[in-house]
Each structure stands twice: as structure tokens, then as C-alpha cells.
Amino acid sequence: MFLNIAYITKVNLASLNGAEGSGGNITPIKKISSYDGEEYAYVSGQALRRYLKETLMQLGAKITEINEKGEPTFKDENGKYINLDKDFEKVKEIAFKEYVDLDLFGYMFPNGTRRWSPVKVAPMLSILPYKGEVDFLTRKQKSDGKRSGNIVQIEIDTLNFARGNILINLDHIGAIVDEYSYEKEDILNEDEKKQRINLLLEAIKNFNGGAKLARNLEDISPKFIVIARQKTGNPFLLNVLKVDETGALDIESLKEAIKDAEVDELKIGLTKGIFSNEDQIKNELDVVSVKEAIDYFKV
């Protein structure tokens, strides 16, 4: 069983994911170009997974550390770091029970031990085109005894909407699945699995993160959300959520996608004051608050 979570967030003024610069005093954001030449800002799946891990930590969850080889690790009872590449089988129960990232986001070690991530994240893509706007800051410096500053341009996405999608394989949370035989070895008991699923949903509800937050604090938590419980891992909502230049949500595309989909349960959550056609959304869709929609699927 899967939870298919599609959402829209509201962007005010943000630089949520920086791109590699080409030199000079410009700090770009990640963007892609469409067939018509328009550019759209996006946040990579890797960045979103990091933000989700950080949100889980804020909620009290433990996350593994990274060793000098870039591999996840944690300390044993004597305070020594464990070589998970070599000794994972010996500590897999502790690893799964205490460190949520190994369970939720998977791992891959050089000797071949690996686990698919039961939580799959699509990059978050802006719905309206990037407008080419920049913010300015001054980097202070001291040269030849004189103090001065360089003007730096920071690309920013402004007054936009962004859509994302998270797909959760509920059956694989708390378990190791053999990638060849598909046999499942449960590590967490049923109560522990339920707690982990609920913690993940709470993190999605309170999702936060981004680059340049010291100056451009932004809220990336869902402002509109559609959650479906379904038998397959088809992210059928991935390309459905749209908003036009007036700030109106495309209701017809969403209704058609829901009508054609085979789902067991579905909830739609809406935050007030986000869309210009809010009254129409409430009249044509069965909506609750975002919190209520997410909490409905807690177990």
C-alpha cells in the first residue's frame, strides 16, 4: 500500500536551492527551461530529502552522521563510530529502530549492502515562470588596509507557487526488502511502524528548509495537498496541480485525474487565503484543512 502525496506551496521571496555558479558575483538558483524557452525554478529531490531529514530532527528523531567517506554512521555504546559497510548485519536492528533516515531514505554501502528508499521525492518545481529577479548583498572585505565591499547578486524566485510529490511505500517502512527475491524482513514491530509513519507525516506537515534563509526566510510547508491511499506506486498527481497567472487553482484537471484514478481513500487539504478561486475550490471539491488531511492518514 502507498500514500501518494501531491502538494502546492506558496513562494514569497526565496532562493530555495542554489545552483553552481559560472563565476562573477552572481549566485544562481536551480532552474530548468521548458519547450517555449521559459525558465522555472526548482528544488532538487536531494535537497528536499535533506530538508525532510532536518525537519524530522526538529521533531526529535535521530539521524545518522556522515563519515569521511561520505557514508552514514553512528556511535556504539562506547562512543566509537561503527563501520556500517562492514558490520551492518550486526547492528541493523539498532540502526532501524533508532535512526529514521536509514529506514525512510535507504542506504548503499560499497560492499553491496543497500536498501531502496520507501520514501520517494519528486523535485519541487515552480508553477509560474522565473521572472529574472535578483536580490543584492554586500560582502565586506579588507584590502591594503582599506575596508570595502563587493556587491553580490542573488537570484530569487518571487510571488510564485511550487508543486511537489512524495510517494511513500507503507509496506516497506520498518523492513528490509531483498532486491532480488523481494522477500521482506520486518525489523520494526507494528506499533513502531505506526509511530514512524506518523512521524513522517508530521514532518511533511511541518516541512521546512531552503538556502539563504538567514536573509530570505521562507515557508515551504504544503498549502494545498492531495493525499491518496492506493495499491500501486503510480504518482498520478505529479503533473496535475496547476495555478494560473491570477493565482487560481486548476480544478478541472484535478477532478479529472481523481475520477480516472484507482484509489482506496483520498483527502484534499486547503489553507485559506492562498488561491484567488478559494470559494470555487470549496464548492467543487470536498476539502478540509491541510492538517486534517494529513492527520487523517495517521495510523
Side-chain angles (χ1 to χ4, degrees):
M1 195 64 69
F2 294 80
L3 283 185
N4 182 10
I5 304 174
Y7 63 93
I8 292 176
T9 190
K10 183 75 170 67
V11 177
N12 295 302
L13 189 156
S15 178
L16 293 175
N17 196 183
E20 184 177 356
S22 57
N25 289 338
I26 299 178
T27 303
I29 57 176
K30 281 188 166 69
K31 298 183 292 294
I32 58 172
S33 298
S34 70
Y35 61 90
D36 59 2
E38 294 281 14
E39 289 186 317
Y40 294 82
Y42 77 96
V43 182
S44 70
Q46 181 179 358
L48 290 173
R49 284 161 61 94
R50 175 187 171 186
Y51 303 159
L52 198 52
K53 289 179 185 179
E54 291 174 348
T55 304
L56 285 162
M57 288 179 63
Q58 294 166 10
L59 293 171
K62 283 186 179 180
I63 302 294
T64 55
E65 299 179 48
I66 301 297
N67 64 20
E68 65 277 1
K69 297 179 181 179
E71 302 164 2
T73 185
F74 57 88
K75 294 178 181 178
D76 62 18
E77 63 274 9
N78 297 317
K80 295 183 178 180
Y81 285 106
I82 298 173
N83 184 346
L84 295 180
D85 183 32
K86 178 182 177 183
D87 299 321
F88 185 78
E89 281 296 315
K90 300 176 184 177
V91 298
K92 63 183 179 183
E93 186 168 340
I94 296 174
F96 264 64
K97 288 180 181 290
E98 295 195 16
Y99 296 92
V100 298
D101 56 318
L102 294 176
D103 180 17
L104 298 178
F105 301 106
Y107 47 82
M108 183 170 67
F109 299 116
N111 71 0
T113 302
R114 64 181 185 179
R115 178 174 188 272
W116 293 324
S117 171
V119 179
K120 294 177 171 56
V121 178
M124 190 166 68
L125 180 66
S126 70
I127 295 177
L128 302 177
Y130 171 63
K131 307 181 190 73
E133 295 182 303
V134 295
D135 191 18
F136 295 90
L137 61 84
T138 302
R139 287 182 179 159
K140 293 182 179 180
Q141 61 181 16
K142 191 174 182 180
S143 177
D144 297 328
K146 297 180 180 180
R147 295 179 179 178
S148 61
N150 286 334
I151 301 297
V152 180
Q153 299 180 51
I154 309 292
E155 290 187 344
I156 51 174
D157 192 22
T158 60
L159 299 179
N160 205 336
F161 299 89
R163 68 185 183 202
N165 210 118
I166 300 172
L167 190 70
I168 305 170
N169 189 333
L170 298 173
D171 297 329
H172 287 184
I173 288 181
I176 294 176
V177 180
D178 188 282
E179 64 180 293
Y180 300 107
S181 67
Y182 291 95
E183 292 182 358
K184 188 174 71 168
E185 177 189 358
D186 288 323
I187 305 297
L188 304 184
N189 61 41
E190 286 303 311
D191 285 341
E192 290 169 331
K193 287 183 182 180
K194 291 177 180 178
Q195 292 175 13
R196 181 130 315 156
I197 292 169
N198 292 346
L199 177 64
L200 176 58
L201 291 173
E202 193 67 19
I204 293 171
K205 185 197 306 179
N206 294 281
F207 201 15
N208 66 92
K212 314 297 182 186
L213 294 182
R215 298 184 310 279
N216 298 323
L217 184 63
E218 189 55 272
D219 176 10
I220 62 171
S221 63
K223 298 298 177 286
F224 180 81
I225 196 165
V226 184
I227 308 178
R229 192 194 307 274
Q230 55 193 57
K231 292 183 176 64
T232 71
N234 175 24
F236 70 92
L237 296 164
L238 190 60
N239 298 304
V240 171
L241 300 184
K242 303 172 185 175
V243 182
D244 68 19
E245 294 81 357
T246 69
L249 178 72
D250 182 349
I251 299 174
E252 293 306 315
S253 296
L254 178 57
K255 288 165 65 175
E256 182 176 346
I258 293 173
K259 182 184 69 174
D260 293 342
E262 296 182 2
V263 301
D264 292 1
E265 292 181 289
L266 186 139
K267 286 288 182 182
I268 301 175
L270 172 69
T271 299
K272 294 180 180 178
I274 300 298
F275 302 104
S276 61
N277 60 337
E278 182 177 317
D279 291 338
Q280 182 187 6
I281 296 171
K282 292 179 178 178
N283 290 332
E284 298 190 25
L285 300 174
D286 183 14
V287 299
V288 295
S289 70
V290 170
K291 178 182 184 301
E292 289 171 321
I294 294 175
D295 287 348
Y296 178 84
F297 289 95
K298 290 185 176 179
V299 289

